[in-house]
Amino acid sequence: MTQRIPLQNLTTEAAVEYHSPSDNDSRHQPASNKPPNSKPSKLGHIYVREIGGFFQRIRRYSNWLLMALYFGLPWINWGDRPLVWFDLAAQEFHIFAATFYPQDFILLTWILVLCAFGLFLITVAAGRVWCGYSCPQSVWTLLFIWFEHRLEGPRHRRIRRDNASRTFDTLWRKTAKHAAWLLIALATGIAFVGYFTPIRALVVDFVSLNAHPWALFWIGFFTVFTYLNAGWLRHQVCLHMCPYSRFQSAMFDANTLIVSYDAARGEPRRNHHQKAAKASSVGDCIDCELCVQVCPTGIDIRDGLQYECIGCAACIDACDSVMARLNKPLGLVRYTTERALEGKGTRFWRPQLIAYAVALLSMVALLVGFLNTRVPIDVDIARDRQALFEGTESGRIVNYYNVTLRNQDTDPHRYVLTASGLPGLRLQGMETIDVEANETRRLRVALSADESVLTHPSHPIELRFTSLEEPSVTRVSETRFLGPSSK
């Protein structure tokens, strides 16, 4: 016998999903007068109901972890510098133990391509789980909604307060909410700028009002940006601004894991007040609309797959909580595939997924190999523009070069400089160069050769820099030696 439950527990939060800015009359009507199945404006305000459950716990834990990483990394030091620091003034990008320079920009491009292929792979396999669990827009929006729930109360109370006249209780709650949002946004802005300037000094300068004007500008910009995006726009960004929501459908197929409603089991829907005696002739869905109330984008998952769905599984947890109370099997709304809903077998490994996986693994292997064989020394050589060459009384020709030597290692090195390419080519001046860890040295190098060996006006030569401590750390740079032709 089917167990009945007090359905008023599921429907006390009225079915008003939105308040459209243009629907002035509906804002002043009692929530209970709103037709429960009315289709509201997509641009209206969405009152999200808080829900617990297995997937929401995963979502919250992943969000807190991502938040901890974002706010915590700038405070962690690696030696005498921040662990992650993009030093634009010195054109040095410190990421953990490695230091990269503008000439390593190809690595950044490579990493971005890897991230793109990783996102494509995840999308083909599991739909928009990135959007629901890891996207910064979703992470910050969920945090703002969490504070909204704590300060303004559950969904039905927020609707009631917004439909009623303003009271002191409503005003102080809304003031506290927006103050909390602004504090989070300010912390977000400071943390972001902290990736480009040491955050310990930045916080001291900010509090003492001595921060650099550009630092203040970017802190203010990201404070306003975060406050508007996560507090006001929320998932309108996902619906109308994010290009991923538009082209992700091109990567879906019948075997992609998506959030779906099992219409074969749920339809026809049972009315809220339908008696248990008649329940055997209808489906498991009781039309409580809890799945709509918890959806951050305000869609009804029972209408089928929609591009607005971000795969957060809030509707799954909401529906499972209802099915558990009704002693019905869980999974009326669940992660599944179109083939599974049709009663067919799901194929996980398919050509599209295999192609993305092979491409991703190949690029990861190449990147790891490149990083392991990367020589931690970089050399830039530019000819001295004051004179092409000059002669000496002994009959030798001298060329001058401006050398920029960067030690990209975490240890200091003493480099030996040698030159080759012409008979009797000699280095005038220093032959060993001491460079500290992550230091850049600029020096002027003079090379001389006997005029008799110069058969052409220009000859290719090589400058070799070799570490005395680690001979495998070496860099060979080519340049030209100019002089009068002896023939």
Side-chain angles (χ1 to χ4, degrees):
M1 178 177 177
T2 303
Q3 179 183 358
R4 298 197 65 192
I5 63 168
L7 294 179
Q8 63 269 23
N9 293 341
L10 302 178
T11 58
T12 52
E13 296 189 5
V16 178
E17 315 305 338
Y18 306 83
H19 283 306
S20 173
S22 61
D23 190 7
N24 296 325
D25 294 335
S26 65
R27 289 185 61 87
H28 301 287
Q29 295 176 358
S32 58
N33 294 338
K34 193 75 171 179
N37 294 323
S38 62
K39 284 296 181 181
S41 167
K42 290 294 183 182
L43 294 177
H45 180 68
I46 301 175
Y47 292 92
V48 181
R49 175 173 176 170
E50 189 175 38
I51 191 70
F54 174 74
F55 293 107
Q56 298 317 295
R57 286 195 297 272
I58 295 177
R59 191 180 178 204
R60 281 193 289 268
Y61 294 154
S62 64
N63 287 1
W64 287 119
L65 175 61
L66 292 172
M67 284 281 186
L69 290 174
Y70 174 80
F71 288 107
L73 283 177
W75 292 92
I76 302 175
N77 280 354
W78 182 276
D80 59 347
R81 64 169 176 82
L83 183 65
V84 179
W85 180 22
F86 305 111
D87 189 355
L88 299 180
Q91 296 185 344
E92 298 175 350
F93 308 97
H94 307 282
I95 303 177
F96 300 101
T99 298
F100 300 95
Y101 296 88
Q103 56 269 25
D104 296 318
F105 183 78
I106 186 64
L107 289 177
L108 176 60
T109 305
W110 202 338
I111 293 173
L112 292 177
V113 172
L114 283 177
C115 292
F117 270 85
L119 182 59
F120 298 159
L121 177 65
I122 292 173
T123 303
V124 173
R128 294 184 66 180
V129 293
W130 154 262
C131 297
Y133 294 86
S134 303
C135 175
Q137 179 68 27
S138 296
V139 170
W140 261 257
T141 298
L142 181 63
L143 179 63
F144 276 45
I145 292 177
W146 187 87
F147 275 93
E148 185 176 60
H149 287 157
R150 299 304 174 277
L151 295 172
E152 287 199 76
R155 176 178 177 274
H156 66 283
R157 292 182 182 174
R158 298 199 305 274
I159 295 175
R160 187 181 304 121
R161 288 193 179 99
D162 285 351
N163 287 337
S165 58
R166 292 291 183 262
T167 64
F168 176 76
D169 180 69
T170 300
L171 291 176
W172 84 258
R173 288 179 182 275
K174 287 189 174 294
T175 301
K177 178 188 73 172
H178 287 284
W181 286 359
L182 285 171
L183 286 176
I184 297 171
L186 177 61
T188 301
I190 293 175
F192 182 85
V193 177
Y195 284 94
F196 297 88
T197 185
I199 195 168
R200 300 172 190 271
L202 174 65
V203 171
V204 173
D205 292 341
F206 180 79
V207 173
S208 61
L209 303 179
N210 292 321
H212 192 278
W214 276 113
L216 291 175
F217 169 79
W218 287 112
I219 290 174
F221 175 82
F222 279 97
T223 298
V224 174
F225 182 83
T226 304
Y227 173 72
L228 294 178
N229 259 17
W232 292 91
L233 294 177
R234 296 189 177 179
H235 286 93
Q236 301 299 334
V237 174
C238 307
L239 303 184
H240 305 288
M241 302 179 191
C242 178
Y244 178 57
S245 65
R246 301 295 177 175
F247 70 76
Q248 47 89 19
S249 59
M251 292 175 280
F252 278 28
D253 57 34
N255 295 284
T256 299
L257 193 65
I258 54 178
V259 177
S260 297
Y261 166 67
D262 191 346
R265 173 186 158 190
E267 301 294 332
R269 303 172 192 174
R270 173 155 50 108
N271 186 272
H272 296 296
H273 306 292
Q274 196 163 3
K275 295 182 179 180
K278 300 180 180 179
S280 59
S281 62
V282 295
D284 287 349
C285 178
I286 65 172
D287 203 19
C288 64
E289 293 200 347
L290 200 61
C291 57
V292 180
Q293 295 176 16
V294 301
C295 179
T297 58
I299 65 171
D300 190 339
I301 194 63
R302 297 171 297 178
D303 292 339
L305 179 62
Q306 299 151 74
Y307 81 91
E308 295 96 336
C309 177
I310 62 172
C312 66
C315 54
I316 297 179
D317 287 326
C319 189
D320 282 349
S321 68
V322 176
M323 293 297 105
R325 294 182 185 184
L326 294 173
N327 284 338
K328 294 285 187 177
L330 306 183
L332 179 59
V333 180
R334 63 185 183 272
Y335 279 116
T336 186
T337 66
E338 292 183 3
R339 288 180 60 89
L341 289 175
E342 295 171 357
K344 302 176 183 179
T346 300
R347 293 184 302 165
F348 181 77
W349 292 108
R350 47 209 190 270
Q352 188 179 11
L353 187 65
I354 294 174
Y356 280 126
V358 170
L360 181 64
L361 292 176
S362 300
M363 288 188 291
V364 169
L366 290 173
L367 179 61
V368 171
F370 178 81
L371 291 176
N372 287 335
T373 58
R374 176 174 176 257
V375 179
I377 177 178
D378 184 72
V379 178
D380 287 332
I381 299 178
R383 292 188 50 82
D384 193 330
R385 297 182 180 181
Q386 295 182 359
L388 294 179
F389 59 88
E390 64 180 34
T392 65
E393 295 180 356
S394 59
R396 298 184 67 84
I397 301 299
V398 181
N399 281 207
Y400 296 95
Y401 305 87
N402 295 317
V403 177
T404 301
L405 180 63
R406 300 182 183 90
N407 178 15
Q408 302 175 354
D409 202 354
T410 55
D411 298 319
H413 284 279
R414 170 171 289 185
Y415 297 100
V416 176
L417 173 59
T418 57
S420 60
L422 282 173
L425 184 64
R426 291 203 304 260
L427 177 68
Q428 297 183 186
M430 65 176 68
E431 295 183 356
T432 60
I433 307 166
D434 294 321
V435 187
E436 296 295 325
N438 295 319
E439 184 188 9
T440 299
R441 286 283 307 274
R442 293 176 176 82
L443 54 147
R444 193 165 185 257
V445 174
L447 296 178
S448 67
D450 194 278
E451 185 176 353
S452 61
V453 302
L454 303 178
T455 58
H456 301 284
S458 175
H459 291 266
I461 61 173
E462 293 181 345
L463 294 179
R464 181 182 297 270
F465 298 82
T466 305
S467 172
L468 288 176
E469 296 81 6
E470 193 173 349
S472 61
V473 178
T474 183
R475 173 73 70 180
V476 178
S477 297
E478 296 183 354
T479 186
R480 310 291 296 187
F481 191 93
L482 305 181
S485 175
S486 60
K487 292 185 180 180

